[in-house]
Amino acid sequence: MPSPARRWIRDLPFNSVLSGMWRLLRSRRPYLWTLLILLVVCFAVHTFVTRQVSFNKENLFTPLQNVWEGLHTDSSQAVKQEMLPPHMRGTGNDHHQNEEHGKPLTNNLLTQSTRNVLTADEDKNLLITHSSSSSFKTHIKSGHTTAMCQPKSHIVFLKTHKTASSTVLNILYRYGESRNLSFALPKNKHSQLFYPYFFVSHFVEGFSTNGVKEFHIMCNHMRFKKSEVAKVMPADTFYFSILRNPVDLMESIFTYYKSIPAFANTQSLDKFLDNCWQRYNPSISNNHYAHNIMAFDFGFNNNITAYSKDLEERASRVVTAIEQDFHLILISEYFDESMILLKHVLCWSLDDVASFRLNSRSEQSRHSLSNTTAEKVKRWNALDWRIYLHFNSTFWHKVDSLVGREQMKVEVSQLRALQTELTNTCLKDGRAVNPSQVKDTKLKPFQYGAAVIQGYNLNPKIDGPNKIMCQRLITPELQYTEKLYIKQFPERASKHRRAARQAVPQLQNSLRAGVMGKAQTKHGSLSLNQNAFINSANMP
């Protein structure tokens, strides 16, 4: 039974309790009531915290397990997303920003109003789609384990001109040859996919005849057309290319293609730029090299300058189309960083992206340009300049999201150390040499225009697997293409070689008589196709 005092408290009317509380508040000792309230609040807080901690202890491991499983699932999905063509991938927001190293560009290249059809004949869907860079980052950081990252082997590389693309081609050739992958090689032993014509699927040897069940890598020069490339390559193909600063590119183009009609009678690049429209006729064969060559290689109309009224709109459309068709655009000025980024995205090893510079000019055939000349180039090749500015920016955004600046520095150092080791192992005298000093004619690079293209001498002390590896590293483009064609199509190669041997005397006689034209022989050089034809006839 409750005590009398407790019964009195229990039976006390509610109004009496309120009256007592009111009298206490009106008393001269309100601090007692304040102390009581503080005690009640502290007790309530203590009770709440105790219960919350107890609840968290009971449920700690289940959420952590769910988070880990979610991360693993997201990472696996990211790999699948990146293996899909661009129009089938998910969306993101960290990929297409109009900044150069974090700074806003002067031209907004990706405005909503520019996402229209570019031209009727270029067959491009300009709806922007973004790769899932944030989720793919998890997969990249994972250390390339087989469970979360599978090396890509279906690859299209758009080989642009004078952008270090021959070195990239060698990397792809070595990767594919060492794994017995099939290449989408030019038909009839050509060195290019019938450039400068727009690419058509039947340009690929073995495609029309179904002679090859599956093509893994396409990487020879072509004028890009996605709808035709997609007929040849699998749906999960990874598309990438490389760009170069248009100022340096123009200096290289002018030297290498000095014999084209636009340059032939011009003493210097400055003089050409001062009278470019008088010297440049777009309807004349090979003059496309002289104007916005990168835009041309990507399949766009290159006849536009800084004074064109619709420059910004057309540049925006071009950029949008490239982003829709290509997963990655590399930058020649940051070649080592580009190779590390490519390594991560393709899930390759450091050995796979190591290289020596190929089809590179000697220092004596390089010319520095003044600031005035550089500005002229930017105005003349205004479309290339805007393409370069945009993708120079997105390149560094991809570095930040997929690798990180600090990790990039570490891996670039590792790559350079590896290449130094390869140089000491593979090369006689440890350096590139002028073509006259290359001892093995099979390793002598093709010479064209006014450029002096350097090559390499193999270290005579190496043999076995190291010799094979080193030979692949220094084999020039034309010879390596020929080698892969013979390996992939031995019967057709033999047939073409017999036909070429029969035709070589006639071709040489025609050249001596000047039938091929003074413009091609004035500087002591043949066209690319003529030279490849004669070389293939002389191969064993």
Side-chain angles (χ1 to χ4, degrees):
M1 290 292 293
S3 65
R6 289 183 178 178
R7 285 201 307 272
W8 178 82
I9 293 173
R10 182 191 63 189
D11 296 337
L12 188 67
F14 184 68
N15 288 339
S16 300
V17 173
L18 291 177
S19 298
M21 292 174 62
W22 178 248
R23 284 195 299 273
L24 183 59
L25 285 172
R26 292 183 63 187
S27 68
R28 296 184 180 274
R29 292 183 294 274
Y31 62 86
L32 294 176
W33 181 245
T34 303
L35 180 62
L36 179 61
I37 293 175
L38 289 175
L39 289 173
V40 171
V41 170
C42 290
F43 177 76
V45 170
H46 175 75
T47 303
F48 175 78
V49 171
T50 302
R51 291 181 179 179
Q52 196 68 17
V53 171
S54 176
F55 176 80
N56 288 341
K57 287 181 178 180
E58 294 174 358
N59 296 276
L60 177 61
F61 296 101
T62 301
L64 284 177
Q65 184 178 1
N66 292 339
V67 169
W68 170 252
E69 291 175 353
L71 286 174
H72 181 78
T73 303
D74 288 345
S75 179
S76 300
Q77 290 175 348
V79 176
K80 296 177 181 178
Q81 286 280 328
E82 289 293 317
M83 291 293 287
L84 293 175
H87 67 278
M88 298 175 64
R89 289 181 286 158
T91 59
N93 58 8
D94 58 350
H95 183 136
H96 309 299
Q97 300 181 32
N98 293 330
E99 297 176 0
E100 183 181 9
H101 296 284
K103 298 179 181 179
L105 292 178
T106 55
N107 300 297
N108 183 2
L109 300 182
L110 287 177
T111 57
Q112 184 67 32
S113 62
T114 64
R115 298 171 189 178
N116 306 314
V117 177
L118 185 58
T119 57
D121 63 319
E122 285 172 341
D123 193 28
K124 293 181 182 289
N125 178 5
L126 299 185
L127 295 176
I128 289 183
T129 57
H130 304 270
S131 62
S132 302
S133 299
S134 58
S135 58
F136 192 51
K137 181 179 178 181
T138 305
H139 140 65
I140 290 297
K141 296 287 187 179
S142 66
H144 293 170
T145 60
T146 55
M148 301 178 68
C149 176
Q150 293 296 326
K152 291 179 174 61
S153 59
H154 292 148
I155 299 164
V156 166
F157 171 59
L158 177 60
K159 189 177 185 297
T160 49
H161 285 81
K162 314 313 297 177
T163 58
S165 61
S166 292
T167 304
V168 179
L169 178 113
N170 179 271
I171 289 171
L172 295 172
Y173 274 176
R174 288 187 287 113
Y175 184 87
E177 184 186 17
S178 64
R179 292 160 177 81
N180 291 318
L181 303 182
S182 60
F183 291 87
L185 296 171
K187 200 170 185 178
N188 298 331
K189 288 184 68 176
H190 282 279
S191 60
Q192 304 177 352
L193 289 162
F194 292 84
Y195 184 90
Y197 300 105
F198 274 108
F199 175 80
V200 182
S201 57
H202 64 74
F203 290 169
V204 174
E205 189 72 86
F207 175 75
S208 299
T209 60
N210 296 320
V212 178
K213 294 182 179 180
E214 179 185 31
F215 291 101
H216 294 96
I217 299 174
M218 180 185 291
C219 54
N220 297 94
H221 276 305
M222 64 173 161
R223 192 175 186 197
F224 186 73
K225 190 171 185 180
K226 177 65 176 292
S227 59
E228 288 295 317
V229 174
K231 293 179 183 178
V232 179
M233 301 302 294
D236 64 350
T237 296
F238 182 87
Y239 290 75
F240 78 103
S241 188
I242 188 168
L243 301 176
R244 184 181 181 184
N245 187 314
V247 175
D248 298 327
L249 175 61
M250 189 65 176
E251 184 273 327
S252 179
I253 289 284
F254 183 81
T255 303
Y256 194 81
Y257 295 104
K258 187 65 173 64
S259 62
I260 68 173
F263 297 152
N265 298 317
T266 307
Q267 293 181 349
S268 68
L269 179 57
D270 253 321
K271 290 185 176 180
F272 168 79
L273 293 170
D274 288 338
N275 302 281
C276 46
W277 278 118
Q278 296 177 10
R279 300 181 181 277
Y280 171 79
N281 185 343
S283 64
I284 297 179
S285 178
N286 290 330
N287 269 359
H288 65 277
Y289 290 109
H291 199 196
N292 288 311
I293 181 62
M294 291 190 294
F296 185 90
D297 288 350
F298 276 93
F300 302 103
N301 183 355
N302 61 319
N303 294 309
I304 185 172
T305 70
Y307 306 108
S308 302
K309 293 182 179 179
D310 59 346
L311 170 63
E312 303 305 332
E313 181 181 358
R314 288 173 65 177
S316 297
R317 292 176 179 177
V318 167
V319 165
T320 305
I322 293 173
E323 285 195 317
Q324 196 259 332
D325 287 339
F326 289 83
H327 299 84
L328 180 65
I329 301 295
L330 305 177
I331 301 297
S332 177
E333 283 74 22
Y334 305 101
F335 190 82
D336 289 343
E337 290 84 354
S338 291
M339 292 304 99
I340 296 301
L341 185 58
L342 185 68
K343 174 184 83 76
H344 279 268
V345 175
L346 294 181
C347 194
W348 286 7
S349 70
L350 199 65
D351 291 341
D352 295 329
V353 297
S355 64
F356 295 143
R357 294 173 63 185
L358 295 176
N359 202 29
S360 180
R361 291 178 294 158
S362 63
E363 288 300 321
Q364 62 262 33
S365 60
R366 298 175 185 268
H367 307 281
S368 59
L369 301 181
S370 66
N371 292 335
T372 302
T373 305
E375 291 304 316
K376 291 178 185 178
V377 172
K378 292 176 187 178
R379 290 193 294 270
W380 172 242
N381 291 330
L383 183 54
D384 273 2
W385 178 244
R386 280 155 179 76
I387 294 172
Y388 175 80
L389 284 180
H390 176 81
F391 286 104
N392 185 37
S393 171
T394 61
F395 174 82
W396 291 105
H397 292 319
K398 281 186 175 288
V399 168
D400 290 336
S401 63
L402 301 181
V403 183
R405 298 291 177 104
E406 294 304 316
Q407 181 64 20
M408 175 62 77
K409 291 178 182 177
V410 171
E411 295 194 38
V412 165
S413 296
Q414 293 172 347
L415 177 62
R416 290 172 179 170
L418 173 59
Q419 290 176 163
T420 299
E421 181 182 347
L422 289 171
T423 298
N424 296 332
T425 300
C426 296
L427 303 182
K428 182 181 179 181
D429 301 326
R431 59 184 178 86
V433 297
N434 286 342
S436 60
Q437 298 175 289
V438 177
K439 304 302 181 183
D440 188 346
T441 56
K442 295 179 182 179
L443 298 177
K444 187 169 291 189
F446 172 59
Q447 304 296 308
Y448 189 74
V452 179
I453 306 300
Q454 294 188 306
Y456 299 94
N457 286 315
L458 198 65
N459 182 356
K461 298 179 181 180
I462 59 172
D463 55 12
N466 280 346
K467 184 175 182 179
I468 295 174
M469 174 194 69
C470 293
Q471 283 178 327
R472 289 173 175 173
L473 276 164
I474 65 175
T475 300
E477 176 181 342
L478 294 180
Q479 290 92 315
Y480 213 149
T481 304
E482 175 84 9
K483 174 186 174 183
L484 292 175
Y485 187 96
I486 293 172
K487 179 180 179 181
Q488 199 162 307
F489 306 102
E491 293 182 1
R492 296 178 192 178
S494 178
K495 179 181 177 181
H496 285 298
R497 191 160 52 250
R498 289 194 300 269
R501 283 174 177 166
Q502 294 174 0
V504 162
Q506 284 185 324
L507 176 60
Q508 290 175 334
N509 290 334
S510 297
L511 288 170
R512 291 190 190 101
V515 175
M516 301 306 295
K518 294 181 180 180
Q520 291 176 329
T521 58
K522 182 175 181 180
H523 298 278
S525 58
L526 308 177
S527 71
L528 287 170
N529 287 336
Q530 291 163 4
N531 188 84
F533 181 78
I534 294 175
N535 283 345
S536 65
N538 293 328
M539 288 190 68

